[in-house]
Amino acid sequence: MQIYLDSADRREIEKWTREGIVDGATTNPSILFKDGVFDLEQGARELARLLGDRPLSVEVTSDDPARMLAQGRSLARLAPNIVVKIPVTNARGESCLGVVHALGKEGVAVNTTAILSFNQAILAAKAGAAYVSIFAGRIADEGNDPAVVIRNVRAWLDAWGYTARIIVGSVRAVIDIQSAALAGAHIITIPPQFLPKMVDHKYTRETVAQFNRDAERALEQMSQARAVGVAASPGNR
Ligand code: E4P
């Protein structure tokens, strides 16, 4: 399973890449705005460079399918590791699968986003999406269980031999990450604020503190034994 950062924050991407756990990153217009990236193309180029050969998802900003297609093409040209995010429908509920299909046929890696149901996910895979982004938190907001959707989509993709990979996004709590991982997500895109919570544990701190204390005590014992040895050596008698 891979971990992406759901972020456009350079410092967070650099920090967690150094920790060796980042396989890619996802953004959307809200994330870019929150992280102070207002120039989409320049921001996308810089983040793509920062990520090296790891994929960076960048979303189209138009609500019109024809414009989405044109913008998707130009976003894809910005850097070789850019994955173009196309919502499964626009704000009016019109299908954007034709855009997914056309870009996919042109060799553009498409991440079909804002997926809230099994049916949307399987249609996106059929249309040629390389990734299907299932929004766990928003599914849960409506009183549904995202783990069930993730598990069913994964089973369907595997059963029918589709290569589309599930990205689970819209993470709201650390437990969402665990549930998505166990339900069969290929990738989970994590807002950086959850990573320190995942790695830290009160009892790990206590355990390491105990080891550190005992290592210091062992060093003290050694230096005392050396001091006694030196005092007893023939030259000091
Ligand atoms: C991921 O690709 C999405 O952009 C993101 O996780 C959406 O999360 P939200 O529901 O918190 O907006």
Side-chain angles (χ1 to χ4, degrees):
M1 196 198 80
Q2 293 192 322
I3 289 180
Y4 288 2
L5 280 193
D6 202 16
S7 177
D9 184 327
R10 291 183 64 95
R11 276 173 308 179
E12 294 285 2
I13 294 173
E14 279 167 344
K15 173 182 169 187
W16 293 105
T17 299
R18 277 197 304 275
E19 297 292 307
I21 57 133
V22 176
D23 297 302
T26 49
T27 63
N28 62 36
S30 303
I31 289 172
L32 290 170
F33 184 71
K34 173 178 73 65
D35 289 339
V37 180
F38 306 128
D39 183 328
L40 176 66
E41 296 204 350
Q42 189 193 325
R45 261 197 222 97
E46 285 174 10
L47 291 172
R49 200 176 314 122
L50 189 62
L51 284 156
D53 56 3
R54 301 174 183 87
L56 168 73
S57 284
V58 182
E59 189 157 349
V60 292
T61 51
S62 174
D63 204 44
D64 170 63
R67 291 213 181 102
M68 278 182 197
L69 183 58
Q71 196 187 10
R73 286 179 180 135
S74 75
L75 288 174
R77 280 194 293 268
L78 293 176
N81 57 332
I82 285 187
V83 173
V84 175
K85 251 180 158 183
I86 304 289
V88 64
T89 75
N90 64 8
R92 293 184 301 278
E94 294 160 348
S95 171
C96 300
L97 295 173
V99 182
V100 174
H101 189 57
L103 289 172
K105 277 205 304 190
E106 292 171 20
V108 173
V110 178
N111 174 352
T112 306
T113 192
I115 289 183
L116 297 167
S117 72
F118 174 85
N119 287 327
Q120 289 177 322
I122 67 168
L123 291 177
K126 282 199 72 71
Y131 303 91
V132 291
S133 278
I134 299 178
F135 279 20
R138 292 186 191 246
I139 292 174
D141 285 344
E142 291 205 302
N144 296 312
D145 184 350
V148 172
V149 179
I150 297 162
R151 198 174 300 114
N152 289 344
V153 173
R154 178 63 190 265
W156 186 88
L157 292 173
D158 290 350
W160 293 98
Y162 281 87
T163 54
R165 294 199 290 158
I166 298 170
I167 303 180
V168 173
S170 188
V171 165
R172 302 278 163 81
V174 168
I175 188 70
D176 298 338
I177 298 162
Q178 186 172 324
S179 305
L182 296 175
H186 296 96
I187 301 155
I188 304 178
T189 187
I190 303 178
Q193 68 267 27
F194 294 111
L195 290 166
K197 293 184 182 181
M198 288 172 76
V199 77
D200 192 18
H201 196 293
K202 189 178 70 174
Y203 195 35
T204 302
R205 292 187 193 197
E206 284 174 26
T207 304
V208 174
Q210 176 202 316
F211 293 161
N212 290 345
R213 272 195 311 273
D214 286 342
E216 272 173 36
R217 287 164 69 198
L219 276 176
E220 271 167 35
Q221 292 288 325
M222 252 171 49
S223 57
Q224 276 172 19
R226 276 208 197 103
V228 170
V230 170
S233 67
N236 285 334
R237 274 188 214 136

